[in-house]
Amino acid sequence: VMVSAMLLPRTVASGDHGAWIAGLLVADSVSILACSWYLVHFFNMEAKLRRRLFPRQLASLALADLLAGILVLLYIFFKFPAYYAIIPDRDLYCELVYDLYRWFRIVSVFQEVHISFVFVGQCLRADRFLTPMRSGIWVLWVVGSIVAFLEGVFYRWSADSVHKTCTPSGV
């Protein structure tokens, strides 16, 4: 994602959106590989290590980022004419892809905040604070689901047939 962010100003100014898409594709692929690598190694760890808080937090974050990365690929493929042509209901496709991406993105943000709070709690040696944090990772998925659903109710996405992309409805 960092590569595509660096390429964005130059490629938009020159009108070369292919370079931006290529950068995003490379960055997203690297992210998917890294998340997959961690999850494979997490499940191969000793059970004693898997039960520790930080490896569990990272595994939950890697899962959310892996799923979001796959959905970014589906969004990128939407730009390719051959893929665009085979999608029967483009509005539904945009809605589903973006709703799922929104869900995993929000869960990912909550996971990162959870990791930050735990680091602060460990620095302050706040054991009373850390105890509920150890068992609260699944709560982040539930709260993220609720927030993503509420955001999805107000911000719908649909297909833009002119630009062959997904855009917010009403734009």
Side-chain angles (χ1 to χ4, degrees):
V1 176
M2 192 62 121
V3 172
S4 62
M6 291 186 297
L7 290 173
L8 182 61
R10 185 168 42 111
T11 57
V12 169
S14 68
D16 183 15
H17 297 287
W20 181 76
I21 290 173
L24 184 60
L25 192 60
V26 167
D28 192 50
S29 300
V30 169
S31 178
I32 288 171
L33 286 172
C35 291
S36 300
W37 177 86
Y38 180 76
L39 288 170
V40 166
H41 286 281
F42 174 76
F43 288 110
N44 288 329
M45 285 181 187
E46 295 177 39
K48 179 176 88 172
L49 296 175
R50 269 197 319 266
R51 284 191 297 270
R52 290 185 179 175
L53 179 59
F54 189 60
R56 286 187 304 124
Q57 286 175 313
L58 283 183
S60 185
L61 177 62
L63 178 62
D65 286 349
L66 172 69
L67 295 172
I70 291 169
L71 291 162
V72 167
L73 283 179
L74 292 175
Y75 175 76
I76 293 170
F77 291 154
F78 194 72
K79 301 288 271 175
F80 296 112
Y83 187 73
Y84 182 83
I86 63 170
I87 300 170
D89 188 350
R90 293 180 185 101
D91 285 335
L92 179 63
Y93 179 88
C94 286
E95 232 175 84
L96 287 175
V97 166
Y98 196 77
D99 283 348
L100 289 170
Y101 170 73
R102 173 188 295 134
W103 177 32
F104 298 129
R105 184 197 67 208
I106 290 172
V107 168
S108 180
V109 168
F110 285 154
Q111 297 286 345
E112 292 168 5
V113 170
H114 187 268
I115 290 170
S116 299
F117 283 166
V118 168
F119 279 155
V120 169
Q122 287 175 337
C123 289
L124 298 175
R125 300 187 193 282
D127 290 334
R128 286 186 182 166
F129 174 74
L130 291 173
T131 302
M133 297 297 271
R134 285 188 182 96
S135 59
I137 294 175
W138 67 271
V139 174
L140 303 173
W141 284 86
V142 173
V143 172
S145 301
I146 293 168
V147 171
F149 173 78
L150 291 174
E151 183 182 336
V153 167
F154 297 107
Y155 300 104
R156 306 302 315 154
W157 283 65
S158 60
D160 178 356
S161 58
V162 174
H163 297 99
K164 292 189 171 80
T165 189
C166 297
T167 59
S169 297
V171 174

